[in-house]
Amino acid sequence: FEKEDYINAFRYFNEANKKSENLATLFAMGSSLYYLYAFDKAIEIYKKMVELEGEKIHSIEKLMCSYDHIGDIENTIYYCKKLIELLDNEDEFVSEKIDGYAILFDIYIHLERKNEARNIIKKIEEYSNKNINKATEIGVMELRWSYII
């Protein structure tokens, strides 16, 4: 899509939202802003969604990604941990949960917080041992352990 497409989409969904605020139009508005790199504005909308519907996977994930894009590491970590908590109760989201752990691992390595990175590896090992068939399907065994040795 082109930038103009996202601008037009935002305008359309904004008008629809003025007539009847709902989660679908809010999510579409937030997504349009996200793809326009207007992360601060997208964050406002995703937070409003959390106010309206509680903590749901799709809004928490978008908050995590938006904070990551603006370089707010502490909020990225916070929402990544929230996302992993939400995914704990969902058996079908094995790869998404491991992705969340991988994001935390990368952040901790970047911040040179090696003990926290090691703890993430332990959690991935524990989780993959419980879900070994699903985990090997998505390649969790390919993690590069050399980062923290």
Side-chain angles (χ1 to χ4, degrees):
F1 293 98
E2 299 293 323
K3 181 178 179 178
E4 190 65 31
D5 295 326
Y6 290 112
I7 292 170
N8 289 333
F10 177 79
R11 287 180 184 146
Y12 171 81
F13 288 115
N14 191 35
E15 284 302 313
N17 197 57
K18 286 178 185 176
K19 293 177 183 173
S20 175
E21 183 175 83
N22 64 67
L23 295 170
T25 56
L26 285 172
F27 189 77
M29 290 168 58
S31 294
S32 296
L33 291 167
Y34 180 90
Y35 291 114
L36 287 167
Y37 302 99
F39 301 113
D40 289 331
K41 295 290 183 191
I43 287 168
E44 291 174 26
I45 290 174
Y46 296 134
K47 282 186 172 184
K48 183 163 183 110
M49 288 179 63
V50 171
E51 287 175 23
L52 293 173
E53 70 173 344
E55 294 176 339
K56 302 292 182 189
I57 292 170
H58 58 274
S59 51
I60 297 301
E61 180 182 27
K62 287 293 193 179
L63 280 165
M64 177 195 70
C65 292
S66 296
Y67 279 115
D68 188 36
H69 280 294
I70 63 171
D72 185 335
I73 293 173
E74 291 308 315
N75 272 316
T76 302
I77 291 170
Y78 174 81
Y79 284 105
C80 191
K81 287 179 178 180
K82 280 280 181 201
L83 181 61
I84 291 169
E85 281 178 35
L86 291 172
L87 294 170
D88 261 346
N89 301 323
E90 305 291 336
D91 288 337
E92 69 268 18
F93 292 110
V94 173
S95 66
E96 288 85 351
K97 185 171 181 180
I98 291 174
D99 287 347
Y101 280 130
I103 290 167
L104 281 177
F105 175 80
D106 286 344
I107 290 170
Y108 291 146
I109 289 298
H110 176 74
L111 297 175
E112 297 183 11
R113 290 162 59 174
K114 290 186 178 188
N115 286 334
E116 288 165 293
R118 284 185 184 98
N119 289 335
I120 294 298
I121 294 297
K122 289 176 188 173
K123 287 181 182 183
I124 292 172
E125 286 175 334
E126 290 168 12
Y127 187 72
S128 64
N129 286 337
K130 289 180 194 173
N131 298 283
I132 194 70
N133 292 334
K134 291 179 187 176
T136 53
E137 287 173 21
I138 59 166
V140 72
M141 302 309 172
E142 295 177 18
L143 281 174
R144 296 181 186 215
W145 304 98
S146 61
Y147 282 117
I148 59 171
I149 294 177

